[in-house]
Amino acid sequence: MPLRVAVQMDPLDRINIAGDSTFALMLKAQELGHELDWYSPEDLSFVEGRLWTMGYPVTVQRVAGDHYRFGEPRILDLGRDVDVVLMRQDPPFDLGYITATHLLERIQGETLVVNDPASVRNAPEKVWVLDFPQFMPPTAITRSKGLTRKFLAEHGEIVIKPIHGFAGGAVIRIGPDGRNLASVIELFNRTYREPHVVQKFLPEIAEGDKRIVLVDGEVAGAINRVPGEGEIRSNLAVGGKAAKTELTAREQEICAALGPECRKRGLLLVGIDVIGGRWLTEINVTSPTGIVAIDEFNGTDTPGLFWDAVERKLAER
């Protein structure tokens, strides 16, 4: 069934088509005969009960430097003119992002928005994971220097990271001697108004951080992201290397627990991060990545699974 799809995302000229998950979803949508429009979240306008944007009809192709072409721009009523809004802009998860979710929530009775905007707003990557403490490493959410020192004394070595950070940014390891702990907390407290994530350092990170992708609550595939030399961060955006992998029994248990919650919340595309085959550290719902590498290693078609799930959701409405 051909669909009219509006894609809310960052500028297309900035993406790396070799590994960009949104681009892969757009290519598959086009292959299936769906009609695509691109728009920026900054162009959303709510006027007299209707949500509008300036959309650009777009065609895409896997040709570096010539990977997209826009048609003539057109004003879209996102509640009436499209079947699906694909919300895929990257973090930061700031007030602009949150406001966009509030606006998109107002058209949910008319248009399918994926992932569900209210659920995206209510499930930040490093916050929703707190609902599954049985799978997490020891974790504290705090701005307190004293509590962080106590946590370090209990666990020997820790990492500190922004609670709304992304792509591995500003993840700092503190050793048993506590050197620089005070400075790091002071810097974080000046930079961020919200509390920070403090976690026990997991030596298993040297063997990789597994990204598992769920489509409508079911496992679509996984890759292991191995940190570069001298790094503790495994994100591909900061130099991590992807490797083929299989799920452990513990990881299957984690996915079985998360799957029904994803379906209940309307989160069709979710990426979870697991260290050491057993420690769940994040649940990514804003713009989860990794599907291109997963499909290259496994010969799978995650975008196809995604659009099948979208069509099922539309049929249920």
Side-chain angles (χ1 to χ4, degrees):
M1 175 179 69
L3 302 174
R4 297 165 299 170
V5 180
V7 186
Q8 177 175 304
M9 65 177 293
D10 302 299
L12 276 164
D13 58 358
R14 299 180 190 174
I15 65 173
N16 174 11
I17 67 170
D20 190 89
S21 293
T22 307
F23 189 73
L25 295 172
M26 294 173 72
L27 280 171
K28 189 65 180 185
Q30 187 174 271
E31 178 187 322
L32 293 169
H34 303 327
E35 179 183 342
L36 296 173
D37 277 88
W38 173 93
Y39 75 91
S40 168
E42 297 175 356
D43 291 333
L44 288 172
S45 298
F46 190 79
V47 183
E48 297 180 347
R50 308 303 305 173
L51 184 61
W52 306 87
T53 192
M54 181 66 75
Y56 293 79
V58 62
T59 56
V60 289
Q61 58 182 358
R62 197 172 287 284
V63 178
D66 187 24
H67 57 279
Y68 73 97
R69 292 183 183 174
F70 282 151
E72 288 298 315
R74 54 190 178 186
I75 296 174
L76 297 176
D77 178 329
L78 290 176
R80 292 173 177 159
D81 295 338
V82 301
D83 301 301
V84 180
V85 169
L86 183 58
M87 185 172 64
R88 286 287 303 181
Q89 85 265 25
D90 292 333
F93 191 69
D94 56 14
L95 283 174
Y97 209 120
I98 291 169
T99 301
T101 68
H102 281 293
L103 293 176
L104 288 171
E105 192 178 1
R106 293 178 176 273
I107 64 168
Q108 278 286 66
E110 301 174 280
T111 298
L112 177 65
V113 182
V114 289
N115 283 328
D116 180 276
S119 293
V120 168
R121 183 175 67 248
N122 294 331
E125 342 275 50
K126 298 179 183 68
V127 177
W128 185 28
V129 70
L130 300 175
D131 286 0
F132 304 93
Q134 69 272 33
F135 301 126
M136 292 185 67
T139 301
I141 308 296
T142 186
R143 293 173 62 87
S144 168
K145 193 185 307 180
L147 189 148
T148 304
R149 285 197 184 281
K150 181 175 182 294
F151 192 88
L152 175 64
E154 290 174 357
H155 298 291
E157 196 164 4
I158 61 174
V159 294
I160 303 172
K161 52 189 175 182
I163 199 167
H164 295 307
F166 59 97
V171 178
I172 299 177
R173 177 179 175 182
I174 303 292
D177 61 4
R179 184 177 301 171
N180 293 327
L181 184 150
S183 295
V184 170
I185 293 296
E186 289 165 8
L187 176 62
F188 273 42
N189 284 351
R190 284 198 300 268
T191 305
Y192 309 107
R193 296 187 63 185
E194 58 272 13
H196 326 301
V197 179
V198 181
Q199 276 181 338
K200 178 182 178 180
F201 174 71
L202 303 174
E204 301 100 310
I205 189 61
E207 301 168 10
D209 175 5
K210 197 171 294 185
R211 163 56 57 90
I212 306 170
V213 169
L214 306 178
V215 174
D216 200 18
E218 299 292 334
V219 175
I223 52 168
N224 195 36
R225 302 173 299 180
V226 181
E229 185 175 354
E231 267 283 2
I232 62 168
R233 302 176 300 170
S234 58
N235 306 68
L236 302 184
V238 293
K241 303 297 182 184
K244 187 175 175 63
T245 190
E246 302 290 339
L247 297 192
T248 65
R250 177 69 162 180
E251 289 165 341
Q252 292 171 358
E253 182 185 354
I254 292 170
C255 293
L258 265 63
E261 290 299 319
C262 292
R263 287 189 291 272
K264 183 171 72 176
R265 293 169 179 254
L267 298 169
L268 264 66
L269 188 61
V270 171
I272 68 172
D273 297 337
V274 181
I275 296 175
R278 63 191 182 115
W279 297 114
L280 176 66
T281 59
E282 291 190 22
I283 307 173
N284 297 272
V285 303
T286 51
S287 183
T289 62
I291 65 176
V292 174
I294 286 171
D295 289 344
E296 286 176 351
F297 279 115
N298 300 328
T300 47
D301 181 12
T302 302
L305 294 175
F306 173 79
W307 289 112
D308 286 346
V310 167
E311 292 202 31
R312 287 197 305 271
K313 294 299 179 186
L314 286 170
E316 294 168 1
R317 291 168 70 90

